[in-house]
Amino acid sequence: MSLPVPEGYQTLDDARLRAWLAGLPHLAAKLGGDSAAWQIEEVGDGNLNLVFLVRGPAGGVCVKQSLPYVRAAGESWPMPLERAFFEHQHYAIAGPHLAGLIPQSWHYDPRLFASVIELLSPHRILRQELVAGHAYPQAALAVAEFVARSAVLTSPLAQPFETVFAHSAVFSRNVALTRVTAELIFADPFEDLVRNRWTTPELDHAAAAIRNHAAVRAAVARLGHAFLTRKEALLHGDLHTGSVMVSADDTRVIDPEFAVYGPVGFDAGLFMANLLMAWFAQPGHATAQDNRQAFADGILQQVRLFWQHFAQRYDALWQAHASGDAWPARLFDSPATAAAFATERAERIRAVFADALGFAGAEIIRRILGFAHNLDFESIADRPTRAAAEAAALQLAEHLLLHSADIADIDTLLAQLRQDTPNHTRLEAVA
Amino acid sequence: MSLPVPEGYQTLDDARLRAWLAGLPHLAAKLGGDSAAWQIEEVGDGNLNLVFLVRGPAGGVCVKQSLPYVRAAGESWPMPLERAFFEHQHYAIAGPHLAGLIPQSWHYDPRLFASVIELLSPHRILRQELVAGHAYPQAALAVAEFVARSAVLTSPLAQPFETVFAHSAVFSRNVALTRVTAELIFADPFEDLVRNRWTTPELDHAAAAIRNHAAVRAAVARLGHAFLTRKEALLHGDLHTGSVMVSADDTRVIDPEFAVYGPVGFDAGLFMANLLMAWFAQPGHATAQDNRQAFADGILQQVRLFWQHFAQRYDALWQAHASGDAWPARLFDSPATAAAFATERAERIRAVFADALGFAGAEIIRRILGFAHNLDFESIADRPTRAAAEAAALQLAEHLLLHSADIADIDTLLAQLRQDTPNHTRLEAVA
């Protein structure tokens, strides 16, 4: 059953939404005209919320409301409404650092647990576009910029620790969604749970092998401890390709309701993992007209661009905003100490890379063996093809989890991927 | 100037304290008799607070009150009163795990920022006893037990992360004393500040060398980042030998007002650093009757016992209380996964050891070059002897900061110490 809801909460429907927005002058003005004529479309296709697109003659808004249960699972999986509050807090606290990379946030109603944000148009969800074979060469750069700015500017690299501690304390109350992460990524995929599923029977053997791999479990658990204890910066917390909206010339990261302070490599790892899964899935989307080889190569390029831009921007932003309590700038202002500081930054980025690869491995496993799967694989109609793509991704995940600290750089990883999967567009042949 | 104080706050003196305690029946009963006859002694010799010992015919209590400034610096260094609240919170949250290792806590007055705790008698402060040459062979074991229990039982090894996050959020407001740590340990000793001092001119060269050592600064800064971001467990936060009270058969850790979630190695490192400084200081306390060699050897034994007991108890407590969200027990219940879990525990203890050695290095430097010095060195009347002991300790600190990850184990460290300082009791000869 769903949770009891506080007084004043009611699920928005067409009529209620129309009346509510009409009563908020600054939002009604954005829509314009007569509220009765506004076009309202419910588009929530994620796991957790109601999402409405509302359009009037003057413009549009997007309304997102928490439901007291996990939408994808139905009312049998209750979920506190407060996640809308934490999404709003992310916009409030990280938003000033992320202008142009997230939707504008216009209103939050603490009674309805509903927010009103910019309607992104003609944007589409990156994951669907990767399935459809539409390239957005700027997307990875924008997401890298989002991660780098979040990682530096919400952290004690740039902020007094008092500010960081206060912000971290806010998000430490986001326990319902943090529990989802702690369980769905770092524990459940290795257990025998009804809510887990995988491509069966094709993947049964590979699934059992990785689930029972003791060193893989240990590596995932170590990352889970890092996720729960290393409060390095404010994370998006769910940065997969379904949390990115793209147009030809614009990219926005949406849905930060999982926001929590954590290790910087978590966001980077999840995003790279989802690009890599999109790459593994491409043979399943091949047609007679397009074998998807060129598009798949483009996805690997996006992985490379993502990491390179992130690393470069993390370093540059750190240098430009080294006003926090970690590595205090006043200790590194001579030539000798500046050189030591540069070494520290390089080692830190190296450590974030290793973290990110590990988190990527954990994300791949949970998307193939756990509760929440990806459209990239799910939309492959041919089961053997799908299973082959998933099996190849699981192999990579195991490699990342066991050897993340030994992978020299992103080019080494991508070269190895290309080499290990030479017949990438014919993955189905090896199934 | 000191900070403005809230209404109702007044500094306790003999008369006010007597009246206040007389009005608290459960405390008056512990003292017994007529309040006018209670013996009151003000003994605060630390840096921050008023401390009264009150004795009546039935027993005694200890009263500790925050002052709105740093006592050791005078009213020119304001310090919020709230630290008494956080000390009380440490007793409330960690106390249940630490029975027998801390004083009993009997009362807290949020208006006076004063707490009433067990009067420890005939206990003495460990640091003074190490200066005096009095051995307490059980002390290091008890402190190790304190650190191990805190490290496991307040952490996500043993607790649901929701509990850990809530507790961590409480102590994340302990910003005044956390700032003291962030600055006095991780930044100030490397700056040219009026409040720094060292044994000058004898130590000028060694001080300048280590303060300007770029790799040492970088290592200290890296540890400072770890201190501010890695919320592994509830720390005491100031676990030097002045925070330990000893009797022949009892040891208690006091003064947890610096409590904050942080890396487990911090408490362990500070305690080992202070034992090691006591060891370096012994030649300065030698007399014609006692060259202190045997006592010094006993201190190194305490370092060894401390680490060995901590490591053993951390491992045992983790296994016995693996009910938290980090390394979930249900993932490690087969022979193969249990073996992987054992490897994880060993690697984790190895990592805590490296952290602890690094923090020990930072602590030694700040106690010799920073604001807050140690009685161990300060009480050495002969300046060249004192400077030689401090210089040797600084050499160790540099070694610990630059090579903490390469020191195989505690025995290796102690063997090297004995080898590098063969004429330990004649350190003054090398000055």
Side-chain angles (χ1 to χ4, degrees), chain A residues 360-390:
Chain A
E363 167 73 358
I364 290 171
I365 288 173
R366 74 100 165 202
R367 292 289 186 180
I368 296 175
L369 304 183
F371 166 73
H373 286 233
N374 277 0
L375 185 70
D376 310 73
F377 295 131
E378 299 282 296
S379 61
I380 299 175
D382 183 65
R383 293 181 60 89
T385 302
R386 170 177 163 184
E390 291 174 329

Side-chain angles (χ1 to χ4, degrees), chain A residues 156-157 160-162 164-166 169 171-176 178-180 182-183 186-188 190-191 212-215 217-222 224-225 227-232 260-261 325-328 330-334 336-337 340-341 344 347-348, chain B residues 156-157 160-162 164-166 169 171-176 178-180 182-183 186-188 190-191 212-215 217-222 224-225 227-232 260-261 325-328 330-334 336-337 340-341 344 347-348:
Chain A
L157 306 182
F161 79 82
E162 290 89 343
V164 174
F165 279 21
F171 294 99
S172 73
R173 293 186 282 123
N174 194 8
V175 290
T178 299
R179 177 150 289 287
V180 169
E183 295 191 349
F186 297 110
D188 286 7
F190 301 92
E191 291 188 272
N212 295 319
H213 195 307
R217 283 191 185 197
V220 169
R222 200 180 318 130
H225 179 252
F227 174 75
L228 292 174
T229 58
R230 283 174 30 203
K231 306 291 187 182
E232 296 172 358
V260 70
Y261 267 73
D325 283 301
W327 287 277
R330 61 191 183 278
L331 297 191
F332 299 100
D333 55 0
S334 72
T337 53
F341 182 45
E344 288 294 300
E347 286 181 5
R348 171 93 184 115
Chain B
L157 306 181
F161 79 82
E162 290 89 343
V164 175
F165 279 21
F171 294 98
S172 73
R173 293 186 281 123
N174 194 9
V175 290
T178 299
R179 177 150 289 287
V180 169
E183 295 191 348
F186 297 110
D188 286 7
F190 301 93
E191 291 188 90
N212 295 318
H213 195 307
R217 284 192 184 196
V220 170
R222 200 181 317 129
H225 179 252
F227 174 74
L228 292 174
T229 59
R230 283 173 30 201
K231 305 290 187 183
E232 296 172 358
V260 70
Y261 266 72
D325 283 300
W327 287 277
R330 61 191 184 279
L331 296 191
F332 299 99
D333 55 359
S334 72
T337 54
F341 181 46
E344 288 293 300
E347 287 180 5
R348 171 94 184 114

